[in-house]
Amino acid sequence: MNALILVDIQYDFIPGGALAVTEGDTIIPLVNQLIPQFDLVVATQDWHPHNHESFASQHTERHVGEVIDLYGLSQVLWPDHCIQGSQGAAFVDSLEQRTIQKVFQKGTDPTIDSYSGFFDNGHRKATGMENYLREKGVDQVFVVGLAADYCVKFTAMDAQELGFQTYVFTDATRGVNLSPGDTQKAFDEMNQLGIQLLSGANWHS
């Protein structure tokens, strides 16, 4: 049984959003084309309280892109984004949402960020996605969404570590690229862990 995981396809991550990923919106037609080919479709949703401590605005004299120590974890400071209930946190309207069977919200604890759809960044709490997929009999997961070098990468890496056979459609994701080449580095890192990189445009179930 396979599952397609849609990672954070939300307004704040596409052009015009608070943490816009260049060309983030261009993946949506391909994602919509992939969705009907899967037995199960789930989605993750960044869902931050307004005072989340990953926001640069919560730290005096700190700027977006700086890295701080946040309760023992290295934390990139981001612009305020995906605030619970805001338009920026909503899924993009053009995304085909009717067949999404479950949404897993992440980043809800103001003291710890959560890139992966499975756990927070300290692996202190689980979102429930692993148990849900196992209950459904899923053994293969395919990951798409935003952004390649953060939430897609960490979701795929956790899936692989949890024992799911994991694939990423490289043409159905885009990266933040805080540093040039971050997306390619993320793909290389995933590949080294045994995650298989595929072209969604050429894939048929």
Side-chain angles (χ1 to χ4, degrees), residues 164-176:
F164 295 100
Q165 198 172 350
T166 306
Y167 304 83
V168 171
F169 290 120
T170 57
D171 48 354
T173 182
R174 295 288 185 276
V176 176

Side-chain angles (χ1 to χ4, degrees), residues 114-172:
S114 188
Y115 297 148
S116 167
F118 290 96
F119 302 101
D120 62 55
N121 290 0
H123 278 217
R124 295 169 190 168
K125 287 182 191 156
T127 61
M129 183 156 73
E130 178 195 359
N131 290 344
Y132 180 81
L133 295 175
R134 293 207 192 285
E135 281 163 17
K136 297 286 186 186
V138 170
D139 50 11
Q140 293 185 320
V141 299
F142 293 73
V143 186
V144 300
L146 303 169
D149 40 354
Y150 286 92
C151 299
V152 166
K153 177 178 92 165
F154 286 102
T155 298
M157 283 165 57
D158 278 345
Q160 180 78 357
E161 203 172 299
L162 290 166
F164 295 100
Q165 198 172 350
T166 306
Y167 304 83
V168 171
F169 290 120
T170 57
D171 48 354

Side-chain angles (χ1 to χ4, degrees), residues 4-7 9 23-35 142-148 152 168-175 187 198-201:
L4 182 66
I5 302 175
L6 313 178
V7 176
I9 304 177
E23 297 185 349
D25 53 336
T26 64
I27 68 168
I28 295 173
L30 177 55
V31 172
N32 287 343
Q33 194 181 308
L34 289 165
I35 284 170
F142 293 73
V143 186
V144 300
L146 303 169
V152 166
V168 171
F169 290 120
T170 57
D171 48 354
T173 182
R174 295 288 185 276
F187 289 151
L198 304 173
S199 160

